[in-house]
Each structure stands twice: as structure tokens, then as C-alpha cells.
Amino acid sequence: MKKDMVITCREDKAGNTYFIVSYDDERGMNFVKYLSYTQLLELLSNSYVEEKTYMSLGRIADGYIDSTICTDGSGSVRLYVPASPRVILLNIPKRKLPRAFQIPMPPMLFQIRFGGQRFGGKCCIVTGSYEETVDQYYGGKLIGYQYPFGNVSDSAEICMGNISYDIQAIIDAPKYVDAFFDGITSEHYMGTSRVKSGKHQMELLGFLEKCEVFPYEELVELPEKENDALCCPHSMQPHYKIR
């Protein structure tokens, strides 16, 4: 038997609004209730069941730490990129070709947006292994450090310029990292030195060419707000973070 709920709005002699809710059950019996506005809202809230939507993460890229996924398939992923020798191409004014510096790049954390829109991402330096970084990240204790070169703002936002990339899914995120390091570094966002010794970009790159391991003592911590935004789990509010 068809079950119907009928809600009728009425007003009493004092001008107060109330609702008459009538309902037929499976046996054909009719039930009637008189409810206030607040009681009706509670009834409707308890009767509503939201349909859940599930999204597949798909294949996960190496270095995966965390992600947020939207129902349209877009999202943001955080990746750990291990320490590795890197060639940094530095744009030098009045020179046609950039100068190449091979340096020991420390481990990094990248946040990369994916899903068809060219939004870009963020990055910072970290100091531990993948396992240590994951443990510190989910424990609310991960400290990120400022990227010491150009093309990354003080708030850790990456400027990719005209570098082409297409990140459709989490598995594609390493393409963004490769495109970032393949680009030419400029003085963009480099107003002052970002290392404790005060070395500017070219001086620092020349110094690092002689190093086998990146000198972590040179690193400058991200401000707390930026650190919480990048190095704290999406599910953890900043005031829960342990410093």
C-alpha cells in the first residue's frame, strides 16, 4: 500500500503557526500529529537520509602522504620527494642561456592539484626519511622549511610560469615535480635570502655545488600559518597541532 505523509500549515486564534502532519502506515491506519515549527524541523531532519557518494583514489603515486578528493574527480595530493642530486637551471640577466648548478637537493613535500585544472601547487623542504615524515605529519609534528630558491613564494606557492604540465589523477602527480625541476629558476619571489647565512641565490647555488649533502642548518622554518596549511593533515585543525 502506498504510504503518504501530508503536512498542512495552520494558524491558531493567537496567530501562532502550527503544522498538521498526517501519515498512513502499511496497514492503512491514519496517524495525525500537531507540531510546532521546531518540532516539524526535528521530524524532517530525523527522516532525511543523505545519499552517500564514494570516489576511488585510483593508483597512488610513489611518495604518497595525503589527499583530498572531490566528487567531480579533481583534488589535491601531497607527495614526499626524497633527497637527490638535482640540476638547477638559473636564469642570469644579460645571458642568453641559463647556468646549470648540480646540487644535493634535500627531501621535499609537494602539494599538487589535479583533475584537469592548471592550478599548480605548493612545496617546502623537510628533513627526514619518508617514514619519518609520514609519522611526523600524522602526529601533527612535521616542520616544513622554506624553499631556498626562486619561483616559490614565502607562502610556499609555486610559480610554474609557462611550464607545461597536465595532472589528471594522483598517479600523474610526479609529472608536476619533474616539470618543476626542469624549469628555469629566476629571481621571482626572491626578495631576500632564505637561508640563515644570508647567501643569495647564485652564491648559495655555487656553495652547494661543493657540498655532498645539503646543509640543513641553513634552513629557515616556514611561518606557523603556512606550516599548518601544508604540513598538517587535512583532517587536523591547526589548534590541535603539537609544536
Side-chain angles (χ1 to χ4, degrees):
M1 179 178 290
K2 183 178 179 181
K3 297 180 290 183
D4 293 315
M5 178 184 288
V6 179
I7 302 174
T8 306
C9 181
R10 291 285 187 267
E11 190 173 280
D12 63 20
K13 293 181 180 180
N16 299 313
T17 299
Y18 67 96
F19 300 88
I20 304 172
V21 180
S22 61
Y23 177 76
D24 295 329
D25 70 4
E26 295 89 343
R27 296 171 295 174
M29 297 184 65
N30 181 258
F31 296 87
V32 178
K33 287 194 174 184
Y34 295 83
L35 304 176
S36 67
Y37 178 76
T38 302
Q39 290 171 326
L40 178 63
L41 282 180
E42 184 178 356
L43 173 66
L44 294 176
S45 297
N46 292 334
S47 301
Y48 175 71
V49 178
E50 183 177 0
E51 183 178 351
K52 295 182 179 180
T53 303
Y54 296 90
M55 287 289 301
S56 170
L57 287 178
R59 294 176 62 195
I60 296 177
D62 289 343
Y64 176 89
I65 293 179
D66 197 3
S67 64
T68 56
I69 309 293
C70 180
T71 53
D72 66 1
S74 64
S76 175
V77 60
R78 289 173 177 168
L79 294 183
Y80 174 88
V81 177
S84 175
R86 299 275 185 182
V87 174
I88 301 294
L89 299 174
L90 179 65
N91 181 50
I92 300 176
K94 299 182 181 181
R95 287 187 56 171
K96 292 183 178 180
L97 297 176
R99 179 176 170 183
F101 296 84
Q102 181 164 324
I103 66 168
M105 185 65 71
M108 295 181 64
L109 172 67
F110 278 81
Q111 176 175 288
I112 303 161
R113 297 179 186 174
F114 61 88
Q117 299 190 47
R118 196 174 184 272
F119 286 143
K122 294 183 175 184
C123 71
C124 68
I125 304 294
V126 292
T127 58
S129 66
Y130 173 72
E131 292 77 11
E132 291 169 338
T133 299
V134 170
D135 286 345
Q136 291 169 5
Y137 177 86
Y138 282 103
K141 299 179 181 179
L142 182 62
I143 302 299
Y145 298 85
Q146 291 184 355
Y147 184 71
F149 310 116
N151 299 358
V152 178
S153 73
D154 290 339
S155 58
E157 293 280 353
I158 297 172
C159 174
M160 293 289 271
N162 295 321
I163 300 173
S164 178
Y165 58 91
D166 183 23
I167 311 302
Q168 292 297 321
I170 290 178
I171 193 65
D172 300 320
K175 295 179 184 178
Y176 182 93
V177 177
D178 292 340
F180 172 77
F181 285 118
D182 287 343
I184 297 175
T185 300
S186 66
E187 292 290 330
H188 194 42
Y189 290 133
M190 283 292 294
T192 59
S193 171
R194 290 191 181 137
V195 292
K196 291 182 178 179
S197 64
K199 293 183 178 67
H200 287 276
Q201 189 161 226
M202 184 178 290
E203 182 185 5
L204 177 61
L205 287 167
F207 169 74
L208 291 174
E209 276 193 312
K210 303 169 187 175
C211 299
E212 293 185 5
V213 178
F214 191 95
Y216 293 102
E217 65 275 8
E218 284 276 19
L219 294 174
V220 176
E221 289 186 16
L222 287 173
E224 185 173 3
K225 179 181 177 181
E226 283 69 28
N227 195 84
D228 288 344
L230 182 57
C231 299
C232 186
H234 292 293
S235 60
M236 183 183 291
Q237 298 299 316
H239 60 274
Y240 292 139
K241 188 170 175 61
I242 303 169
R243 295 302 297 268

